[in-house]
Amino acid sequence: LKKKKKKKKKETARCFTSKKMAYQKVNADQRAPGHSQYLDNDDLQATALDLEWDMEKELEEPGFDQFQLDSAEIQNLENPETTDLNLDSIQPATSPKGRFQRLQEESDYVTRYTRSAPKSNPCNFCRLLKILCTAIVLFISGILIGYYAHKKCPSNATSSATLDLQLYQEILETIQAEDIKESFRNLVQLYKSEDDTEISKKIKTHWTALGLEDVQFVNYSVLLNLPGPGASSVTLSSSGQCLHPSGRPCSEEARTRGGQDLLYSYAAYSAKGALEAGVIDVSYGNADDLKRIQKMKNTTNQIALLKLGKWPVLYKLSLLEKAGFGGVLLYVDPCDLPKTANLSYDAFMVSLNPGGDPSTPGYPSVDGSFRQNRANLTSLLVQPVSASLVAKLISSPNSRTKTGVCSPLELPNNDERIVNMQVQTVTKFKTITNVIGYLKGLTSPDRYIIVGSQHHTAPSSYGQEWASSTAVITAFIRALMLGVKKGWRPHRTIVFCSWGGTAFGNIGSYEWGEDFKKVLQRNAVAYVSLHSPIRGNSSLHSMASPSLRQLVIEKSHFNCSRKAKCQESNVSSVQIPGDADYFINHLGVPTVEFTYEDVKTLEGPSFLSEALFPKRTAKIEEMDPFFNLHETITKLTGEVILQIANEPVLPFNALDVALEVQNSLKGDQPNTQLLALASRLRESAELFQSDEMRPANDPKERIPIRVRMLNDILQDMEKNFLVQQVPPGFYRNILYHLDEKTSQFATLLGARERCKLLASNETLQEALSEVLNSINSAQVYFKAGLDVFESVLVGKN
C-alpha cells in the first residue's frame, strides 16, 4: 500500500511539474528581452483585451474540449498532498492566444493530465463547486477588465471608420457661402496697399482669432521687377501713332483704373530699352512656325508678334531668342477666349521668372546670401499688348465676322509693319511676406499636408483671385478649428500657407521651400493648391497627381451627383499656374487642385492663364454671385485634406503611377526599351499594391511599424520622376502633361520640337535617357519596398 501511495505521489508531482514548465516556457517566449517579469498598466490592458477576444474565439474551437478538467483532475487539484502548488505557477502570459497554442504543443502534458482517479472521495462535489465558482468569478473579472480597458484603448477600426466620417461631415457642413462672401469683400478693400504688409497682418490676425496654432510671418528680401515711372508704348512708324499697351492713344488721359492698367501692362524681368524694327507674325511660336518663317525672312533683331498659348511662354521666348529676334509683342487672340470675356482693351502682365528670387537662384534669400545681378532674365524686349492694339497694327477692325465665327488675328506675310517699342521697368529689393499657420498632428506630427493660397503683393488691380483664394482657405480653417474645439485633431500636421510674391514668379513659395528644403523633402506628404479657385463658372476641373487621382475621382463623382456643373472623369495631371510649382518640380510632392473653369477655356489653347488680366471685384461676383461655387470648392478641397491628413494609410495609389507611365508612352514612335521598363514597373506596382497596401487597409492586419514603412514609400514614390534637364517653362516632374489633349511625356515632346530646328537629334536622346532612368528608378524603388517588407516578415517568423 505504501509503495502504491509513493508511486501515486510521484505521478501527481510530475503532472504539475510538467504543467508549470509549460507555462514558464510560454512566459519566456512571449516576454521581450530586457522586460521585467511584471506587466505595466499598458501591458495589462493589452492582456485583458486579448483575453476577452481570444478566450471567446478559442473556447469555440472543437479541439479545446481536451483541456476541460474532469472529476479526477479536480480531485488531484484538491489533494492535500499537493497544496504547495498554487495559482501563482499558472499566471497568463502576455498573449492568451499564445498560451493556448503552446499548451497544445505540450502533448505529454495532455496525456498525463487525462488520467483517471478513484471516485470514492466524499468531497468531490463540494470541491467541484468551489472550483466552478472560482472560475466563474475569474471569468467575469476578466470580462470587466477587458471591457474597461477596451473603452480606454478603442480599436483603430472604430475610430477611423465611423467617428471620423461623421466628424468630417460636421466640419464641412459649417462651411457657408455667406461667410466666404463676407470674407472676400473685406479682403478686396485692402488691395490698394502699396505692399503686402497690411494684408499679411490682416490674414495673420484673422487666422489667430480662429484658433490656428503658431501663426507666423516668414519674410524674405527679394529682387522685384516693377513698372517704370512712365507707361510703355508702341509707335506705328507708318502713321506716327503712339499707342499704350491697351490700344488706346498715348494722348488720352488715364481714366479711373486705366492709369494702373497702363503701368502694369508689362513683362516682369524683361530687358528694358527701345527698339525700332519690322514686325514678323510668328503665330503661337512653335518650331513649325519658326522653321517656316526662317525660310522666308531674316529674323535677326526683328520684333515677333506672338500669341500666348499652346506652349509655355518661357519655352517660346527661348526659341525666339535663339532665332535672333530682338523684341516680342505678346497678345491673347480673342478667338482663344470665351465669348463672354470681352478683353479687347485689356492689356495684361506676365512674369518671365521661372521661380523664386532671381538674385538667389536655387537657394533662399536669407541674410548673408550672395546676391547675383539679374535685372532681366532674357535679352528680348517683351511687351504684352491688347488684342485691340494688334488689330490696329494689322489693320483689322474686327476679329468676328457677321456670322459670329471668330477670325484669328494674323499679319499677312507680304505686309511690312515697322514699329518702335519702348519698355520701361525698374528693379528694386523689397520684402515679401508669407503667412504660415500650423495645426499639429496627433500621431504623426512630423508629416505635413501643405495647403497653399496667395495674397496680394503689388499695388495693382490684378488678380482678384487672391481675395477669392484667401477667402476659401480662411473658410476651411474656420470650419476645421470648430472640430478641434470639440476635441478632434488630425493624425498628420496641416500647414496653412498664404504666399506672397506669386505674380512675380511664385517667389514666396519658392523661397520658403528652398529655406526648409531638407525638412520638406523628408516630411511633406501632399500639397493642396487654392491658387485661383474661380476662373469661370461652367465646369468643375480637377488637377491631381497620378497617385491621388483615385481619391479625386471619388470625391468629384460624389460632388457631381449633387451638382450639375461638372464633367465626369474631368481629372488630369497637367501643368498649372501658381505656387504648387516648387512642390511638384523640386520636391516631387503629390498635388491636387480644384477649380471652376469656362468650358471654352478648357477646350482652347493651354497656358492662357500665364496672362494676368486686371480682374475687378465685380468680375468674380458676376461669375459666382451667391458664392455657391466657392462653397463647393471649399468643401471638396476640405474632404481631400481631411482624408489625407487622417487616414492611417495614405490614400495614394501606386498602380495609377505605373499606368500613367504606360499611357504616356503611347504615340507614333514607341520605344521598345521604355515600353519594357514600363511593363516591369507596372508588375512591381501591382505586387506592391496587392501585397502591402490592401492588407494595411484592413484594421485586423494593420501593424503600426508596417503602416509607417508603407506610408514612407507611398509618400516618396513620385520623387523618382524628377529629371534634371527640361526645356524652359516645362515641369521637371515628367508625370505632368502640357495640356489635356496630349498624353505623351512633355519633355519628349519638347525635345522633338527642338529637333525640328536643329540638325541633330542629340536633344531627343538626352530626353529619352532621362525618361528611361526615371522609370527604372521607380521600378527599383517599388521592388526595394517589397524586399524590405519581405525581410521584416522573415525576421518576425
Side-chain angles (χ1 to χ4, degrees):
L1 185 60
K2 285 181 180 180
K3 288 181 180 180
K4 286 183 179 180
K5 284 184 176 180
K6 285 181 179 180
K7 185 176 180 181
K8 188 172 182 180
K9 270 176 140 184
K10 288 179 181 179
E11 288 176 356
T12 305
R14 187 165 57 249
C15 172
F16 280 93
T17 301
S18 174
K19 178 180 179 184
K20 184 175 182 179
M21 290 175 66
Y23 277 96
Q24 287 173 343
K25 185 176 180 182
V26 174
N27 275 307
D29 287 345
Q30 295 293 330
R31 192 179 298 120
H35 280 205
S36 169
Q37 60 179 329
Y38 303 106
L39 298 173
D40 57 16
N41 291 336
D42 292 336
D43 292 331
L44 186 59
Q45 290 179 357
T47 302
L49 275 169
D50 292 334
L51 181 63
E52 177 189 357
W53 182 82
D54 287 316
M55 284 192 68
E56 291 176 359
K57 178 178 178 181
E58 302 217 26
L59 285 171
E60 294 173 358
E61 294 177 0
F64 187 77
D65 56 358
Q66 60 183 324
F67 301 109
Q68 302 302 319
L69 303 180
D70 57 19
S71 58
E73 295 165 352
I74 296 169
Q75 179 184 352
N76 287 335
L77 285 172
E78 287 296 316
N79 196 311
E81 297 173 345
T82 61
T83 54
D84 57 316
L85 296 174
N86 53 34
L87 289 177
D88 292 338
S89 63
I90 53 172
Q91 290 296 322
T94 304
S95 171
K97 184 174 182 179
R99 190 185 86 224
F100 287 124
Q101 289 176 337
R102 182 68 69 186
L103 288 174
Q104 286 178 344
E105 294 171 10
E106 299 288 340
S107 55
D108 293 339
Y109 173 73
V110 176
T111 55
R112 287 194 295 268
Y113 216 82
T114 54
R115 297 189 321 273
S116 60
K119 299 180 181 180
S120 58
N121 195 327
C123 295
N124 263 351
F125 179 78
C126 295
R127 290 166 185 156
L128 175 62
L129 188 60
K130 288 179 182 178
I131 293 297
L132 285 174
C133 291
T134 303
I136 290 171
V137 170
L138 289 173
F139 184 75
I140 293 173
S141 300
I143 290 177
L144 291 174
I145 293 172
Y147 173 76
Y148 287 108
H150 192 68
K151 284 186 71 177
K152 290 181 181 179
C153 303
S155 66
N156 289 336
T158 304
S159 63
S160 62
T162 55
L163 298 179
D164 283 348
L165 289 176
Q166 293 174 2
L167 188 61
Y168 294 170
Q169 294 305 315
E170 290 178 10
I171 290 172
L172 297 173
E173 283 173 1
T174 61
I175 298 170
Q176 300 295 327
E178 280 300 320
D179 294 334
I180 303 174
K181 185 175 183 178
E182 181 181 358
S183 179
F184 173 83
R185 288 183 170 178
N186 289 336
L187 287 166
V188 296
Q189 299 300 319
L190 303 173
Y191 83 88
K192 294 180 181 179
S193 171
E194 287 298 319
D195 55 41
D196 67 342
T197 303
E198 186 179 350
I199 294 175
S200 300
K201 287 180 179 178
K202 180 79 172 180
I203 294 171
K204 181 183 178 183
T205 302
H206 198 174
W207 288 6
T208 303
L210 293 174
L212 194 61
E213 305 161 355
D214 193 19
V215 185
Q216 55 188 250
F217 288 147
V218 184
N219 298 323
Y220 298 98
S221 177
V222 300
L223 185 67
L224 297 184
N225 188 236
L226 302 170
S232 299
S233 63
V234 176
T235 303
L236 307 181
S237 297
S238 57
S239 62
Q241 185 180 18
C242 175
L243 300 172
H244 288 305
S246 64
R248 292 186 172 90
C250 297
S251 57
E252 285 191 11
E253 294 292 332
R255 301 185 184 92
T256 62
R257 65 180 184 87
Q260 292 281 22
D261 292 350
L262 293 179
L263 292 178
Y264 284 85
S265 299
Y266 80 110
Y269 305 103
S270 163
K272 60 183 178 181
L275 174 65
E276 185 172 359
V279 177
I280 299 176
D281 191 346
V282 297
S283 189
Y284 291 101
N286 57 34
D288 290 330
D289 292 331
L290 292 179
K291 193 174 181 179
R292 171 180 52 83
I293 290 167
Q294 284 181 310
K295 288 180 180 179
M296 298 185 299
K297 297 182 179 181
N298 179 18
T299 59
T300 303
N301 214 31
Q302 299 298 299
I303 298 174
L305 184 62
L306 177 65
K307 291 182 183 181
L308 195 68
K310 291 192 176 180
W311 295 88
V313 67
L314 292 182
Y315 173 69
K316 296 194 289 188
L317 292 180
S318 70
L319 296 182
L320 293 174
E321 200 170 11
K322 286 188 176 182
F325 282 93
V328 177
L329 295 177
L330 186 64
Y331 73 103
V332 177
D333 196 307
C335 297
D336 293 334
L337 295 171
K339 292 182 180 180
T340 55
N342 184 15
L343 302 175
S344 298
Y345 283 93
D346 284 345
F348 54 92
M349 171 190 172
V350 295
S351 175
L352 309 184
N353 180 12
D357 178 9
S359 70
T360 58
Y363 53 96
S365 299
V366 296
D367 291 341
S369 296
F370 172 71
R371 304 284 181 168
Q372 300 183 21
N373 184 14
R374 304 181 75 195
N376 53 275
L377 301 179
T378 178
S379 62
L380 296 170
L381 293 173
V382 182
Q383 177 60 57
V385 295
S386 69
S388 176
L389 188 148
V390 176
K392 291 179 180 179
L393 181 66
I394 65 177
S395 303
S396 174
N398 196 348
S399 62
R400 296 188 183 273
T401 63
K402 294 180 180 179
T403 59
V405 177
C406 188
S407 177
L409 294 172
E410 58 182 36
L411 180 66
N413 290 329
N414 297 329
D415 289 2
E416 290 188 5
R417 298 287 190 274
I418 306 296
V419 302
N420 184 300
M421 60 182 295
Q422 291 189 353
V423 176
Q424 300 186 46
T425 61
V426 294
T427 54
K428 62 175 65 175
F429 283 95
K430 296 192 71 173
T431 298
I432 63 151
T433 303
N434 297 325
V435 185
I436 312 293
Y438 298 85
L439 175 58
K440 297 293 178 61
L442 185 63
T443 58
S444 298
D446 61 332
R447 292 295 181 260
Y448 305 149
I449 290 84
I450 302 169
V451 186
S453 64
Q454 57 166 321
H455 60 258
H456 171 79
T457 53
S460 72
S461 56
Y462 282 101
Q464 291 299 318
E465 298 100 329
W466 74 265
S468 177
S469 171
T470 305
V472 167
I473 195 172
T474 302
F476 179 65
I477 292 172
R478 181 189 295 110
L480 196 65
M481 297 315 295
L482 291 176
V484 173
K485 289 175 183 177
K486 295 179 180 178
W488 173 86
R489 188 169 284 270
H491 291 317
R492 302 177 183 91
T493 296
I494 305 177
V495 184
F496 295 97
C497 308
S498 182
W499 306 116
T502 299
F504 296 97
N506 309 316
I507 291 180
S509 55
Y510 257 78
E511 295 309 305
W512 187 77
E514 290 168 350
D515 201 1
F516 295 91
K517 184 174 182 179
K518 296 300 181 184
V519 176
L520 296 173
Q521 282 176 331
R522 184 179 67 251
N523 295 347
V525 172
Y527 184 84
V528 181
S529 174
L530 287 167
H531 170 71
S532 178
I534 308 298
R535 300 171 192 164
N537 57 9
S538 302
S539 176
L540 177 68
H541 180 256
S542 308
M543 191 292 301
S545 299
S547 57
L548 275 170
R549 192 170 298 168
Q550 288 293 336
L551 175 63
V552 172
I553 288 175
E554 173 190 333
K555 300 305 177 188
S556 298
H557 281 182
F558 176 66
N559 185 68
C560 282
S561 65
R562 297 179 295 177
K563 305 284 184 181
K565 292 185 176 181
C566 60
Q567 299 173 354
E568 295 293 329
S569 68
N570 190 14
V571 181
S572 56
S573 302
V574 296
Q575 293 194 194
I576 58 173
D579 294 286
D581 185 287
Y582 184 83
F583 301 93
I584 293 172
N585 289 303
H586 295 270
L587 300 178
V589 174
T591 305
V592 60
E593 178 185 74
F594 295 98
T595 59
Y596 269 98
E597 298 267 13
D598 284 311
V599 173
K600 173 68 176 179
T601 303
L602 293 173
E603 294 172 351
S606 54
F607 298 102
L608 294 179
S609 57
E610 292 182 318
L612 301 179
F613 283 96
K615 292 186 178 179
R616 300 174 295 281
T617 308
K619 187 67 176 178
I620 296 291
E621 297 204 40
E622 285 170 12
M623 290 190 292
D624 187 20
F626 302 106
F627 277 71
N628 292 328
L629 302 184
H630 283 78
E631 180 183 325
T632 300
I633 291 291
T634 310
K635 289 184 175 180
L636 200 53
T637 304
E639 282 186 89
V640 171
I641 294 170
L642 288 170
Q643 194 152 344
I644 298 174
N646 224 48
E647 286 295 310
V649 178
L650 289 171
F652 299 167
N653 197 303
L655 182 56
D656 278 355
V657 175
L659 293 174
E660 182 70 20
V661 170
Q662 284 193 319
N663 290 333
S664 298
L665 292 175
K666 294 177 181 178
D668 299 331
Q669 301 174 348
N671 184 292
T672 54
Q673 191 174 7
L674 289 178
L675 290 174
L677 265 178
S679 179
R680 289 203 293 273
L681 172 63
R682 178 174 177 173
E683 290 174 3
S684 298
E686 285 176 343
L687 283 173
F688 182 81
Q689 190 152 313
S690 60
D691 291 358
E692 305 306 333
M693 292 183 67
R694 289 178 185 174
N697 280 293
D698 182 357
K700 297 179 181 177
E701 302 271 346
R702 197 175 289 155
I703 303 171
I705 185 62
R706 288 173 61 80
V707 170
R708 180 72 178 201
M709 290 166 58
L710 174 62
N711 284 336
D712 287 345
I713 294 173
L714 293 173
Q715 175 182 319
D716 291 339
M717 60 185 173
E718 288 195 12
K719 291 180 171 62
N720 294 283
F721 298 96
L722 298 181
V723 299
Q724 294 299 319
Q725 300 295 329
V726 291
F730 281 57
Y731 273 9
R732 291 180 57 227
N733 189 328
I734 64 173
L735 292 175
Y736 291 78
H737 306 299
L738 285 174
D739 54 44
E740 308 276 351
K741 307 172 193 66
T742 57
S743 60
Q744 288 85 8
F745 285 118
T747 185
L748 295 182
L749 288 176
R752 291 193 179 103
E753 278 283 299
R754 283 177 175 267
C755 286
K756 295 176 182 178
L757 298 173
L758 302 174
S760 68
N761 64 346
E762 184 177 342
T763 304
L764 179 58
Q765 293 302 320
E766 290 177 357
L768 284 169
S769 178
E770 292 264 25
V771 173
L772 186 145
N773 289 331
S774 294
I775 299 173
N776 182 65
S777 174
Q779 195 272 333
V780 171
Y781 181 78
F782 283 127
K783 190 174 184 305
L786 287 166
D787 291 342
V788 167
F789 280 107
E790 185 177 347
S791 301
V792 170
L793 286 175
V794 170
K796 291 189 75 175
N797 290 337

